Amino acid sequence: MEEISLHTEQTTDGLPCETPPETNDGKAAFDDQNGNREGNNSEVRKEFVAPAVGMEFETYDDAYNYYNCYAREAGFSVRVKNSWFKRNSREKYGAVLCCSSQGFKRVKDVNRLRKETRTGCPAMMRMRLVDSKRWRILEVTLEHNHLLGAKGYKSIRSMGSGTKRKPASNSELEIQPVKLYRALVIDTGGDGASNVNLRQAKSSSDQPNQLNLKKGDAQAMYNYLCRMQLTNPNFFYLMDLNDEGRLRNVFWVDARSRAANGYFGDVIFFDNTCLSNRYEIPLVAFVGANHHGQSVLLGCGLLASETMESYIWLFKAWATCTSGHSPQTIITDRCKVLQSAVADVFPKSHHRFGLSHIMRKVPEKLGGLRNYDALRKALLKGVYEALKPFDFEAAWGFMIQHFGVADNEWLRSLYEDRALWAPVYLKDTFFMGMAAARPGETLNAFFDKYLHKQTPLKEFLDKYELALQKKHKEEVIADMESRNSSPELKTRCSFELQLSKVYTRAIFKRFQLEVEEMYSCFSTTQIHIDGPITIFLVKERVSHDGNRREIRDFEVLYNRAAAEVRCICSCFNFYGYLCRHALCVLNFNGVEEIPSKYILPRWKKDYKRLYLPDHGADNADTERVQWFNQLYRSALQVVEEGVISLDHYKVALRAFHESLDRVHSLEEEKQVLPSSVT
């Protein structure tokens, strides 16, 4: 690629930054953090964070606009010192922006009637178009060697000869806001306390349009993101600013979480507990389950409000990070706004409401009713024990009529949404162990032990890294235990022996319980045949009300030719392994090994090592991104295990060197091959 540099000394003006509205007396007004509009006497002010190496912007205009607005706040004007363009396409790929006082005029250009304003000022910002097609700041000098003017100092737009600048009209003052990709606006001044009355506070907090950050929070967030950008390979973050250039939403994913998205992004739990419960930190998290069934973080965010706009922005940010790949299933709190946002961004995903979240609200919603204990017992029985929709409908109808709760609005709305949360309606949905479809099972918050309602943002950012380190350590330990030890077998069943060699230790223990409980199934009977499909009835003694055991019937469909077995309890779809009833039918039919289709790769000990994405590439660029992501995930796994000990480190380092040599030898072979042929 041929490149050329164009040097310019003209002063230019890019996209204008937002001009604050004027009050009746003509003085500029700004909205403070709490929604107040303050006049010129307010101590609350808005500042743009100084440019820093590593900041990125969607376009050149966005970068210029940011630096221009920062300059106006600081009290100097900007001009373009250098620009670089590709020779053939004339596409701009590099630029240096500087203070208008940079350098000195040439002698022949000096106008003796005008005062010299250039002082050789060193302030500048150098940026370049990087591989991600975004503009990244590579070098910054903030110091000036002259006095700075008043805030609002404007850059001057260069004009052709004979062009006169017209006074700005009122309509021209209503110009577009700053459009930043990875830059931040900080609100400073005061102690963060609100001085609005209760009515104003209520109206402004209904749908806040900016994060309610305390003094120092924004700078702490900015420092954290910049540090991670420079020190954490493959770190990703996005920021959303409102029309006034203030921080509204943030999304970030560290390198390990990005890798985990590739492995475990098929089923995700979107946790908005902190946001909906009005925590000090409006945190939201994307959580998955790894090959040990442990919670794994797939992304984090801070949202200003629970609005459709905020949720859509966040989901699109997550989709951008994952190259547009939608999860197979997404589990959320029961919320109409969330439901609409998920349908908008992930139309192909199965959206389900978290059952454990709904059950947690039962005491709050029904606790004041007469006969609450009996009502709760009837509700749980209908939800967890119904095997067919008819059973659920009958149990629900009995509960409503028997306890006289037909007028209860919460139960009524819950029944209307039953297809999105009741297990009996979700049997065709894959949950990979995150269904919480049995009594007592819950989907816990990823940061449950690291966060309380009053935790400040600065403290959380420190705990965030500790939490990730602890979770990562737990996964590494589980990997080592799964590889280096064999689980104890408790039966003579061939299924148990087969999967003890395949599954990770934690998942095998769950499956092992199903094998053990095969002995509580005392009857397997063929009840119907339809061509190659046979339906069996399996009777099981199950615990009920403590020590009392009752007999329950489970229908299992079996197709020998297709090696297919499906139980009405849908354990495989809910948890990712076959249930005791399906195992009994396989055993009854003389099958000694579980069909491969029912041994999910994501539960295997070597899943990460053998994982290959099956996403089709639309073009060469997309394909290269997928290659990069897969290579990065593979390399990260070697790095993580290479730091276990000095011996591990030496082996991993040697493997990297050998791999690089082999890749280089490939290039050498390509160069030698044509000459050898001729």
Side-chain angles (χ1 to χ4, degrees):
M1 178 181 67
E2 296 185 7
E3 303 171 344
I4 60 174
S5 170
L6 296 183
H7 183 75
T8 176
E9 284 292 340
Q10 68 183 29
T11 303
T12 62
D13 192 19
L15 295 175
C17 60
E18 186 177 13
T19 302
E22 293 192 354
T23 57
N24 293 333
D25 60 358
K27 295 180 180 179
F30 295 96
D31 286 349
D32 70 12
Q33 190 98 349
N34 300 299
N36 273 350
R37 173 157 289 181
E38 299 290 338
N40 212 35
N41 295 328
S42 172
E43 293 182 359
V44 179
R45 56 192 173 86
K46 179 177 67 175
E47 291 185 353
F48 279 81
V49 173
V53 174
M55 277 185 172
E56 290 188 0
F57 303 84
E58 285 285 6
T59 65
Y60 169 81
D61 286 339
D62 290 346
Y64 182 94
N65 192 25
Y66 161 72
Y67 193 58
N68 191 29
C69 288
Y70 161 73
R72 290 181 61 183
E73 288 292 316
F76 68 97
S77 59
V78 174
R79 62 186 173 86
V80 180
K81 181 182 179 182
N82 294 86
S83 294
W84 287 270
F85 296 82
K86 296 178 183 177
R87 185 179 299 276
N88 296 327
S89 65
R90 303 294 297 169
E91 177 189 6
K92 184 181 290 187
Y93 71 89
V96 174
L97 307 181
C98 67
C99 173
S100 60
S101 296
Q102 189 270 344
F104 298 95
K105 285 187 178 180
R106 293 172 294 184
V107 175
K108 66 177 182 178
D109 294 333
V110 173
N111 186 339
R112 300 185 182 278
L113 298 179
R114 295 183 61 183
K115 183 180 178 181
E116 173 61 76
T117 58
R118 298 196 184 185
T119 62
C121 180
M124 54 78 71
M125 180 179 85
R126 182 168 64 87
M127 56 187 180
R128 185 183 178 92
L129 186 66
V130 294
D131 292 340
S132 60
K133 300 302 180 183
R134 288 190 280 268
W135 285 81
R136 179 180 298 166
I137 298 178
L138 303 179
E139 182 182 355
V140 172
T141 301
L142 299 178
E143 295 77 17
H144 296 260
N145 64 0
H146 57 91
L147 293 177
L148 298 180
K151 291 194 175 185
Y153 209 100
K154 294 191 68 175
S155 296
I156 304 171
R157 183 182 302 276
S158 62
M159 297 172 288
S161 59
T163 305
K164 295 183 179 180
R165 178 179 295 275
K166 296 180 180 180
S169 65
N170 290 336
S171 61
E172 288 174 343
L173 290 176
E174 298 175 3
I175 44 190
Q176 294 300 314
V178 185
K179 184 182 178 185
L180 306 183
Y181 182 73
R182 287 179 181 166
L184 178 63
V185 176
I186 294 183
D187 285 36
T188 61
D191 57 1
S194 173
N195 59 355
V196 296
N197 58 39
L198 291 178
R199 181 185 61 80
Q200 289 173 318
K202 186 178 187 303
S203 63
S204 65
S205 63
D206 284 343
Q207 298 296 342
N209 195 34
Q210 64 189 67
L211 286 174
N212 185 23
L213 301 178
K214 303 300 181 184
K215 185 177 181 181
D217 281 352
Q219 188 65 53
M221 190 76 200
Y222 168 74
N223 292 341
Y224 168 76
L225 294 177
C226 282
R227 175 166 56 85
M228 295 300 290
Q229 178 80 13
L230 295 174
T231 62
N232 190 316
N234 218 25
F235 183 79
F236 178 96
Y237 71 94
L238 286 172
M239 288 185 173
D240 176 36
L241 305 182
N242 64 18
D243 290 343
E244 296 175 349
R246 298 185 182 181
L247 188 59
R248 178 167 51 192
N249 303 309
V250 188
F251 171 75
W252 74 92
V253 190
D254 67 280
R256 283 202 183 101
S257 294
R258 290 195 76 177
N261 267 304
Y263 298 125
F264 311 116
D266 47 0
V267 179
I268 64 171
F269 162 47
F270 177 70
D271 182 13
N272 66 334
T273 304
C274 296
L275 179 63
S276 59
N277 290 345
R278 303 294 188 267
Y279 275 48
E280 182 77 14
I281 306 173
L283 179 72
V284 293
F286 295 86
V287 182
N290 66 12
H291 51 313
H292 303 288
Q294 301 167 334
S295 295
V296 57
L297 188 66
L298 305 178
C300 268
L302 300 176
L303 298 185
S305 59
E306 296 181 88
T307 61
M308 177 89 162
E309 182 184 14
S310 290
Y311 282 134
I312 287 179
W313 179 89
L314 182 76
F315 292 153
K316 286 184 176 180
W318 189 79
T320 299
C321 176
T322 59
S323 302
H325 301 308
S326 301
Q328 189 172 357
T329 304
I330 179 168
I331 306 164
T332 73
D333 192 11
R334 183 169 164 261
C335 170
K336 292 298 182 182
V337 176
L338 261 176
Q339 186 177 358
S340 299
V342 170
D344 185 275
V345 182
F346 304 121
K348 296 181 180 179
S349 300
H350 298 290
H351 180 210
R352 303 294 181 253
F353 294 150
L355 178 58
S356 61
H357 283 65
I358 293 174
M359 292 297 105
R360 248 185 241 135
K361 294 180 180 178
V362 169
E364 172 194 344
K365 301 295 185 179
L366 306 179
L369 299 179
R370 187 163 52 92
N371 297 324
Y372 165 71
D373 290 337
L375 172 61
R376 178 179 176 276
K377 183 178 178 180
L379 176 63
L380 296 184
K381 181 177 176 64
V383 169
Y384 290 111
E385 295 184 15
L387 292 175
K388 298 179 180 179
F390 174 81
D391 300 333
F392 177 84
E393 304 279 351
W396 192 275
F398 170 80
M399 176 189 71
I400 296 296
Q401 184 177 6
H402 182 76
F403 295 99
V405 289
D407 296 332
N408 186 280
E409 180 61 27
W410 186 70
L411 286 175
R412 185 193 62 77
S413 63
L414 203 60
Y415 181 75
E416 290 178 355
D417 291 336
R418 63 192 181 279
L420 294 174
W421 63 268
V424 72
Y425 296 100
L426 309 180
K427 294 184 177 182
D428 291 328
T429 303
F430 280 95
F431 284 94
M432 302 303 176
M434 301 179 72
R438 295 168 182 161
E441 294 181 342
T442 60
L443 288 175
N444 294 320
F446 186 85
F447 296 104
D448 196 27
K449 298 178 181 178
Y450 301 89
L451 193 63
H452 55 76
K453 205 159 188 176
Q454 284 77 39
T455 302
L457 179 61
K458 287 185 285 188
E459 179 183 332
F460 167 71
L461 292 176
D462 293 332
K463 290 185 174 181
Y464 170 84
E465 295 189 65
L466 291 175
L468 261 60
Q469 289 173 9
K470 184 175 184 294
K471 295 286 186 180
H472 172 62
K473 184 177 180 181
E474 290 173 355
E475 181 177 328
V476 170
I477 292 173
D479 280 338
M480 293 179 64
E481 289 179 348
S482 296
R483 281 198 309 267
N484 302 331
S485 62
S486 299
E488 177 187 357
L489 301 183
K490 298 183 178 180
T491 71
R492 295 182 178 179
C493 179
S494 60
F495 303 144
E496 183 185 17
L497 176 62
Q498 177 191 4
L499 295 191
S500 69
K501 302 174 182 178
V502 178
Y503 280 167
T504 61
R505 194 176 185 86
I507 300 302
F508 173 72
K509 285 184 177 180
R510 299 180 187 181
F511 172 75
Q512 190 177 45
L513 179 62
E514 296 299 320
V515 175
E516 291 182 84
E517 290 299 323
M518 287 174 64
Y519 296 99
S520 65
C521 302
F522 60 91
S523 174
T524 302
T525 309
Q526 179 179 304
I527 60 172
H528 181 72
I529 299 177
D530 184 7
I533 299 174
T534 304
I535 297 177
F536 291 86
L537 187 68
V538 177
K539 292 183 176 294
E540 180 189 8
R541 290 188 180 91
V542 298
S543 297
H544 189 74
D545 290 342
N547 296 325
R548 187 168 69 87
R549 295 175 70 86
E550 65 177 28
I551 296 174
R552 299 192 66 195
D553 295 340
F554 295 86
E555 293 181 6
V556 181
L557 178 149
Y558 178 61
N559 185 334
R560 181 185 294 273
E564 181 180 2
V565 59
R566 295 183 60 185
C567 178
I568 196 170
C569 77
S570 200
C571 177
F572 181 74
N573 284 359
F574 286 158
Y575 299 99
Y577 47 81
L578 290 180
C579 64
R580 61 202 71 174
H581 320 112
L583 296 177
C584 283
V585 170
L586 291 178
N587 185 61
F588 181 85
N589 285 275
V591 178
E592 296 184 355
E593 286 194 347
I594 294 176
S596 59
K597 68 170 69 175
Y598 297 110
I599 305 175
L600 296 181
R602 75 180 331 274
W603 297 145
K604 293 183 178 181
K605 302 176 184 180
D606 52 2
Y607 171 60
K608 282 189 172 183
R609 183 169 60 84
L610 300 179
Y611 169 82
L612 284 175
D614 57 357
H615 310 303
D618 297 331
N619 52 57
D621 289 339
T622 304
E623 191 175 45
R624 287 180 182 276
V625 170
Q626 292 174 3
W627 292 347
F628 174 86
N629 290 337
Q630 178 57 30
L631 287 170
Y632 184 84
R633 280 191 290 265
S634 300
L636 185 61
Q637 189 180 359
V638 177
V639 171
E640 289 174 344
E641 299 196 20
V643 297
I644 294 175
S645 69
L646 180 60
D647 290 337
H648 285 77
Y649 164 76
K650 291 179 179 179
V651 171
L653 190 61
R654 185 166 60 249
F656 276 132
H657 287 316
E658 291 173 355
S659 298
L660 190 59
D661 289 341
R662 292 179 65 182
V663 172
H664 287 165
S665 65
L666 245 160
E667 291 297 321
E668 293 172 1
E669 289 175 8
K670 288 181 179 179
Q671 294 174 4
V672 172
L673 189 59
S675 59
S676 62
V677 172
T678 55

